[in-house]
Amino acid sequence: MPKRSEEMLVDLWMSLLLVWITCVPCVSMTPIIGQSKGTQTGGSAAEASGPGEGQRLLSRAKRGWVWNQMFVLEEFSGPDPILVGRLHTDLDVGGKNIKYVLAGEGAGTIFAINELTGDIHAMKRLDREEKAEYTLTAQVVNADTDEPLEPPSEFIIKVQDINDNPPQFNEGPYRASVPEMSAVGTPVTRVTATDADDPVYGNSARLVYSILEGQPYFSVEPNSATIKIALHGMDREMREEYLVVIQAKDMGGHMGGLSGTTTVTVTLTDINDNPPKFSKSLYEFVIPEDLPVGKMGGKVKANDRDIGENSKSTYSIIEGDDQGMFEIVTDSQTQEGILRLKKPIDYESKRAYTLKVEATNVRSEPSSGAPFKDTATVKIVVEDSDEPPIFFKPVYLLEVNENAPVNTVIGTVTARDPDSTGSLVRYFIDRHTDLERQFNINVDNGKITLAKPLDRETDTWHNITVTATEVRNHSQISRAIVAIRVMDINDNAPEFATEYEAFLCENGKPGQVIQTVSAVDKDDPIQGHYFDYRLVPEMLNNPNFTIKNNQDNSISVLAKHDTFRRQKQEMYFLPIIVTDNGSPPMSSTNTLTIRVCGCSKDGIVQSCNVEAYVLPIGLSMGALIAILACIILLLVIVVLFVTLRRHKNEPLIIKDDEDVRENIIRYDDEGGGEEDTEAFDIATLQNPDGINGYLPRKDIKPDLQFMPRAGQHSGPNGFSEARADTQCSMDGTLDLRSCRGTLVSRLPKPPS
């Protein structure tokens, strides 16, 4: 019973609320209705009496509908439809048969109207966030005929907001970053929440932000939702990531408001606030003295708590390496300092080194602008090793004259054992560099001598490799390059630069230059070449030619007269002696061949042989070629003709390895015996020595040898067929006396 009374009380309050919502618009409409009526009455009165003197005439269209905007509360879920408002018209007086008609958005589905009273009810639960207002039209029609009594009028039903939507962070969760050690109040990021409620009506969409988790490191602005640093000295190396929970609450943050939350993950980014620090203050390394240059001798490492570029350091040697024996480089992958040899170290010279190494940050420190640094000491102990011999020179340059005698000493190479024990050294020539074995070396003292004479004109330089080996340890070998230059001596006589062949015109003039001659010498004197030309002594009084020095190591050969004729002498030989300026001088005799030729008026050589001279004048080269072609053609025709004649006169019976004839044997009657055997001699048929290959038969008289006998007739292709009665034995031999059959032998047909 108490529960029922409580429910009745709630229903009573809801009814009172609905009455209040309904009555407020009605109360606001009352003056308008009264004014409307008064205006209408006044208008009628004014229309009867007319306007007074000096009175302004006011007119107004007649208005049938009187209402304000209607409102309905969203999310109302009562048991009965909620009354939105009531429509009223001046035509609605007692006794008139009218009805109200509603049309527009939601008419008949969301909103329903009482046709008689004009009351509008909301039939469904409304949500302002889905649709905030509805536009409808109302009209009064005749209840019987549905004939409109007034034009339709438009009105709006607005859905009133209630706080039914909590704030939402549509872009969350958030991630943000801020440099470590940032000052208090440094902005980190900004979050934004939205509320679907009406921001104009009430405080349903007024949001206030607060921080639920993340104190004391961060704070948030209540209105702007900007997250800021709230604690000084936040160090990334201590803690790198923080989780912040932000709340947004509507209704201005008051009690009863709805709220929503989001998370913000804040990461502290690194700054260069930590110096590099060597893991040890003293490093010690033992390096063998035979460690190659560029190889690693040790590693050092300076650790940095920063990350990325802020943790990178470079290494340098700042003390203890005055001779520049070492260098230190940074490994980009491990950030270690690699200590390497820059020059060879020697145990016998210096046995220990003390270096001071410094590590410097690549980036500078933010506050001072100077990079962080740290130093460490490196002690290096040189370890003695069995080293190979060392040549006093890595490359030796020696000289020797060409054609020097065998066993001539060219030079000496020297090497020593750098170890304190001082082992003896033996010398050898690497024969891969001296394949022809032109040099020898003394294994004890390193003297290099000639094994074969050398010729500068063949090879000017010889490069050999000499090895030095310890007597005590043959595995310790060192090498040196020996370059031997062959010096030139005057051992080659000059000679013509090429095989000259000069041409002299029959109509040439005395003193005309026939040929310019130069010489070459394989030798290469320091002062250069100078050649002297002269005719052999027996040609000094030569009546035909002379020579002239051109002062450039060449001469010109000149003709002495113009009476040269091919019929008299076709070719001349002019021997010339060429001598160089070497010590001792070398000379050679070279012969110049001069041909006498027929030339045109312009001095152009046309023919240089005697046969061409006796040809008719005016016969061109083309005519000569045509004549030669005709002769060759005639020779070909003659050869073909002779060949055909020979083939035509050959005997018809071919003498070959095989006997070519046709034998037809028929076994039907008895042979003639001995007579037929002598008549057809096989040996006779194989002998082609008769006239045209035909021999007379032995059993026929000469006057009857061309007459066909019984059993013989003329066969095809001009052959006669002789038949004989034969019978063959079982072994295939031919026996004319005992075989039966017909033997047909094809013989050449006798001439008619």
Side-chain angles (χ1 to χ4, degrees), residues 304-320:
D304 195 322
R305 297 177 62 193
D306 295 323
I307 59 175
E309 292 293 326
N310 295 324
S311 66
K312 292 183 178 180
S313 300
T314 59
Y315 298 88
S316 59
I317 300 173
I318 58 177
E319 290 181 10

Side-chain angles (χ1 to χ4, degrees), residues 24-42:
V24 170
C26 296
V27 172
S28 62
M29 289 191 297
T30 304
I32 300 177
I33 297 173
Q35 184 180 359
S36 177
K37 292 181 179 180
T39 304
Q40 184 178 358
T41 305

Side-chain angles (χ1 to χ4, degrees), residues 198-335:
D198 190 355
V200 179
Y201 182 78
N203 294 327
S204 298
R206 182 186 172 193
L207 305 180
V208 174
Y209 298 90
S210 61
I211 183 169
L212 300 182
E213 184 178 339
Q215 300 97 338
Y217 308 105
F218 301 95
S219 63
V220 64
E221 287 288 336
N223 297 322
S224 64
T226 300
I227 301 174
K228 298 181 178 180
I229 295 292
L231 185 64
H232 176 73
M234 296 178 65
D235 190 1
R236 185 201 64 81
E237 287 72 32
M238 298 298 295
R239 182 177 176 182
E240 185 175 4
E241 194 171 87
Y242 297 84
L243 182 65
V244 180
V245 179
I246 302 296
Q247 174 185 267
K249 190 173 184 180
D250 59 13
M251 298 298 292
H254 294 92
M255 185 179 298
L258 303 178
S259 64
T261 60
T262 188
T263 59
V264 181
T265 302
V266 181
T267 303
L268 298 183
T269 59
D270 185 60
I271 64 172
N272 189 21
D273 59 340
N274 291 282
K277 187 68 176 177
F278 282 102
S279 57
K280 297 188 295 184
S281 60
L282 176 63
Y283 293 86
E284 293 182 348
F285 302 111
V286 177
I287 300 178
E289 63 174 335
D290 58 353
L291 183 70
V293 173
K295 293 297 183 179
M296 182 185 69
K299 294 181 181 180
V300 297
K301 178 68 180 293
N303 299 311
D304 195 322
R305 297 177 62 193
D306 295 323
I307 59 175
E309 292 293 326
N310 295 324
S311 66
K312 292 183 178 180
S313 300
T314 59
Y315 298 88
S316 59
I317 300 173
I318 58 177
E319 290 181 10
D321 190 26
D322 299 334
Q323 299 178 354
M325 305 296 292
F326 303 93
E327 64 178 353
I328 188 168
V329 296
T330 304
D331 188 333
S332 59
Q333 300 296 327
T334 62
Q335 288 299 304

Side-chain angles (χ1 to χ4, degrees), residues 156-213:
I156 297 174
I157 297 178
K158 291 188 175 181
V159 182
Q160 284 186 327
D161 182 54
I162 64 172
N163 188 21
D164 60 340
N165 290 282
Q168 293 183 353
F169 293 90
N170 297 324
E171 299 179 0
Y174 297 85
R175 297 194 67 88
S177 61
V178 64
E180 62 175 331
M181 297 297 177
S182 296
V184 175
T186 301
V188 178
T189 187
R190 181 181 178 183
V191 297
T192 303
T194 58
D195 196 319
D197 293 327
D198 190 355
V200 179
Y201 182 78
N203 294 327
S204 298
R206 182 186 172 193
L207 305 180
V208 174
Y209 298 90
S210 61
I211 183 169
L212 300 182
E213 184 178 339

Side-chain angles (χ1 to χ4, degrees), residues 523-589:
D523 294 323
D524 186 18
I526 299 175
Q527 66 275 16
H529 289 293
Y530 176 78
F531 301 124
D532 176 64
Y533 300 86
R534 67 182 184 275
L535 297 175
V536 295
E538 56 268 21
M539 295 293 292
L540 291 177
N541 298 322
N542 177 24
N544 298 317
F545 307 100
T546 185
I547 60 174
K548 183 185 72 172
N549 193 338
N550 296 327
Q551 303 301 323
D552 58 356
N553 275 347
S554 68
I555 60 171
S556 296
V557 180
L558 309 178
K560 287 187 175 183
H561 57 83
D562 58 354
T563 59
F564 295 96
R565 295 294 180 268
R566 282 177 288 175
Q567 295 83 354
K568 181 179 179 182
Q569 186 173 346
E570 181 184 3
M571 190 175 300
Y572 294 88
F573 299 96
L574 184 64
I576 300 174
I577 299 175
V578 185
T579 306
D580 61 18
N581 60 335
S583 178
M586 302 289 291
S587 63
S588 66
T589 301

